[in-house]
Amino acid sequence: MTSAAPAVSGPLIGGDRLTSTSAAVYEHIFPATGRPNATVALAGAPEIDRAVASAWAAQREWAALTVDRRRDLLIGLADVVGAHLDELAELNVHDYGVPISYAGTAMLLERFLRHFAGYVDKLHGSSTPVNGSFDVNLVEREPYGVVGVIAPWNGALAVAGSCVAPALAAGNAVVFKPSELAPLASLRFGELCLEAGLPAGLVNVVPAGPEGGDALVRHPGIRKIHFTGGGVTARSVIQAAATNLTPVVAELGGKSASLVFPDADLATAAMLTAHQGPLMQSGQSCACASRILVHESVYEEFAGLFLAAVGAATIGDPFRADVTFGPVVSAGALERIRSVIDDAVRVRAGVLLTGGQRIGGELESGYYLEPTVFGDVDNSTNLAQTETFGPVVSLIRFRDDDEAVRIANDTQYGLNAFVLTRDLRRAHTVARSLEAGSIWINTFSDISPQGPYGGYKQSGFGRTGGAEGLQEFLQVKNIRIAMS
Ligand code: NAD
């Protein structure tokens, strides 16, 4: 199986690639083989300090450029990324074993860059009349200066697009922290920023674990944190950000529901929910629909079609173009997910219909787990309530529309929901009743630069994408001029 990734890497700060740092050296493991394939020098507090200083110097340079020049540089960066899509996709595979057939986040990065480049020369403030005087009152929008962007291992290039691109478009410099588990594509993105002619230090890439992440969040030179990851880490980040009252945006996990109504095209619904459930990134996506709610009148028929769609996945080397199902990210993740399955079997959370075992044979050294489906799951169980972040899904029966919405909303999360129906009125009514930031009707989670994305409830706050995503990186200044 292919596993030739870059041998050594480390933080990219102010245009310099460091190969030794104050923090630990991380041995990166290729999840498809379980073997080391890169060594990564992680950033500690001194490197974070240096990155923040270099970002401030670059931000002043960036802010001094004309808007036309900044727009053109971001369009140029999109062009450079576009010319390296294959390389970025391959690094993504090395990073976390995602099948190359799914490694579309490099394309998403390019699209986000083009989208937000288009805002650079259109950003504007406003003026408002001030009651009782003839004064002039201007409302201006300014960059924060230097922002910290923290990414999860499962989508760093998507985060580079949805967070770094608008941060730059708004006039900020960025300290971008990918996870130590998956730093390779992000580091290459940092190099491409330099190749595209962005000022050195405008985008610093600092792979780090919790220690470096904490140093970034607590740094007094960081004016805003954009965090994507899990709820447990988010609580630590918010507490650390309280040190300097640094504002935080949080894009967190989910336990999203797919609602399959009796009038849906069941074959299409089965194909979409299999992709959106256990198959896409082996269920390691924030958007994964891990609870599949099916009307009782079509439950048996749907379950048969769904199991057939799951069973049709091609499991194997993620570098093979025909492979649609790869490993989970690490040995630790494999054990954690297996314990969720074992616990669900033990407490009879539902009926195990397929999967549950580690895959052996020629894949035995990789972290491969069978796509796993439980039927007739009770929504109050741990299996249905906790984000598993692996290829494990629950089928749940419902009797009518009200019950479907009630079960879908009966979770602490609120990231996505999927509605499968041919009835337009039902689709609208149900969509309005669902407590989730994104509702997808008869489609999968096709995240776009134009549509705001983010969570309700414990799936987070703030948005990426569109005008809403840009505003996260701008602060408002009011200027009043006395005219009398
Ligand atoms: P995680 O919370 O373990 O880590 C996220 C990032 O935080 C990593 O870069 C990690 O190194 C860093 N980190 C860890 N401890 C830190 C600390 N104390 N201070 C600062 N940073 C720290 O999450 P993960 O396992 O990398 O990613 C999976 C999670 O991310 C899932 O819950 C998934 O749903 C979520 N996610 C959400 C979205 C979204 O857009 N809503 C997108 C992708 C992933």
Side-chain angles (χ1 to χ4, degrees), residues 17-221:
R17 169 60 73 82
L18 314 186
T19 48
S20 71
T21 57
S22 65
V25 170
Y26 182 78
E27 193 166 50
H28 180 268
I29 306 287
F30 184 44
T33 59
R35 286 195 282 274
N37 72 340
T39 306
V40 187
L42 299 181
E47 290 77 29
I48 297 293
D49 225 16
R50 186 170 156 187
V52 174
S54 98
W56 272 111
Q59 196 273 335
R60 284 187 276 276
E61 205 182 318
W62 187 234
L65 298 176
T66 65
V67 287
D68 289 359
R69 181 74 185 127
R70 274 192 270 147
R71 177 204 58 213
D72 291 348
L73 280 166
L74 286 186
I75 292 171
L77 175 58
D79 291 340
V80 170
V81 165
H84 291 83
L85 290 181
D86 290 346
E87 183 190 355
L88 288 169
E90 280 174 21
L91 287 170
N92 232 355
V93 180
H94 283 298
D95 266 333
Y96 62 102
V98 61
I100 197 130
S101 59
Y102 282 167
T105 50
M107 277 185 277
L108 197 55
L109 165 61
E110 183 190 347
R111 288 173 58 211
F112 268 106
L113 283 164
R114 290 197 193 287
H115 176 75
F116 283 113
Y119 274 107
V120 176
D121 61 358
K122 297 165 196 77
L123 286 172
H124 58 86
S126 58
S127 71
T128 57
V130 183
N131 276 344
S133 82
F134 296 103
D135 291 0
V136 172
N137 197 71
L138 302 174
V139 183
E140 299 201 337
R141 292 179 193 280
E142 297 184 340
Y144 281 88
V146 174
V147 299
V149 172
I150 300 179
W153 56 262
N154 74 319
L157 287 183
V159 171
S162 63
C163 303
V164 177
L168 299 179
N172 301 282
V174 179
V175 179
F176 179 38
K177 193 205 89 55
S179 165
E180 71 274 38
L181 288 175
L184 304 173
S186 304
L187 285 164
R188 185 68 185 120
F189 168 64
E191 290 174 348
L192 295 180
C193 290
L194 294 169
E195 285 176 39
L198 267 57
L202 194 69
V203 178
N204 302 279
V205 185
V206 288
E211 183 198 326
D214 187 66
L216 177 63
V217 176
R218 288 178 192 277
H219 200 290

Side-chain angles (χ1 to χ4, degrees), residues 151-154 177 213-214 227-230 233 251-253 286 387 389:
W153 56 262
N154 74 319
K177 193 205 89 55
D214 187 66
F227 172 80
T228 307
T233 316
E251 297 283 345
L252 310 179
C286 61
E387 186 185 40
F389 223 58

Side-chain angles (χ1 to χ4, degrees), residues 438-464:
S438 293
I439 313 292
W440 309 86
I441 296 170
N442 296 325
T443 184
F444 63 97
S445 58
D446 183 19
I447 290 171
S448 68
Q450 293 80 15
Y453 186 74
Y456 277 26
K457 301 194 286 189
Q458 291 190 29
S459 288
F461 39 87
R463 291 292 178 271
T464 58

Side-chain angles (χ1 to χ4, degrees), residues 88-373:
L88 288 169
E90 280 174 21
L91 287 170
N92 232 355
V93 180
H94 283 298
D95 266 333
Y96 62 102
V98 61
I100 197 130
S101 59
Y102 282 167
T105 50
M107 277 185 277
L108 197 55
L109 165 61
E110 183 190 347
R111 288 173 58 211
F112 268 106
L113 283 164
R114 290 197 193 287
H115 176 75
F116 283 113
Y119 274 107
V120 176
D121 61 358
K122 297 165 196 77
L123 286 172
H124 58 86
S126 58
S127 71
T128 57
V130 183
N131 276 344
S133 82
F134 296 103
D135 291 0
V136 172
N137 197 71
L138 302 174
V139 183
E140 299 201 337
R141 292 179 193 280
E142 297 184 340
Y144 281 88
V146 174
V147 299
V149 172
I150 300 179
W153 56 262
N154 74 319
L157 287 183
V159 171
S162 63
C163 303
V164 177
L168 299 179
N172 301 282
V174 179
V175 179
F176 179 38
K177 193 205 89 55
S179 165
E180 71 274 38
L181 288 175
L184 304 173
S186 304
L187 285 164
R188 185 68 185 120
F189 168 64
E191 290 174 348
L192 295 180
C193 290
L194 294 169
E195 285 176 39
L198 267 57
L202 194 69
V203 178
N204 302 279
V205 185
V206 288
E211 183 198 326
D214 187 66
L216 177 63
V217 176
R218 288 178 192 277
H219 200 290
I222 290 290
R223 297 288 164 78
K224 183 153 190 177
I225 286 287
H226 201 298
F227 172 80
T228 307
V232 173
T233 316
R235 285 169 174 80
S236 304
V237 165
I238 290 165
Q239 277 178 7
T243 313
N244 300 310
L245 295 177
T246 309
V248 177
V249 169
E251 297 283 345
L252 310 179
K255 195 74 192 178
S256 301
S258 269
L259 284 65
V260 182
F261 289 96
D263 60 89
D265 172 342
L266 290 187
T268 306
M271 195 256 299
L272 283 172
T273 47
H275 170 76
Q276 190 66 48
L279 301 187
M280 182 174 61
Q281 300 203 144
S282 300
Q284 304 169 112
S285 162
C286 61
C288 177
S290 48
R291 295 181 301 146
I292 300 161
L293 281 41
V294 189
H295 190 268
E296 58 183 2
S297 67
V298 292
Y299 182 92
E300 305 298 343
E301 183 184 354
F302 175 83
L305 292 165
F306 179 73
L307 289 173
V310 170
T314 305
I315 304 173
D317 179 353
F319 278 103
R320 261 178 38 207
D322 62 324
V323 164
T324 53
F325 186 87
V328 298
V329 68
S330 65
L334 183 74
E335 283 319 305
R336 181 183 53 73
I337 300 163
R338 287 181 75 184
S339 76
V340 171
I341 295 169
D342 291 347
D343 185 58
V345 171
R346 191 176 52 77
V347 303
R348 298 201 177 94
V351 183
L352 180 60
L353 299 177
T354 188
Q357 298 299 318
R358 183 172 183 169
I359 298 174
E362 62 175 12
L363 301 177
E364 71 178 351
S365 65
Y367 309 133
Y368 285 85
L369 187 61
E370 291 174 338
T372 302
V373 183

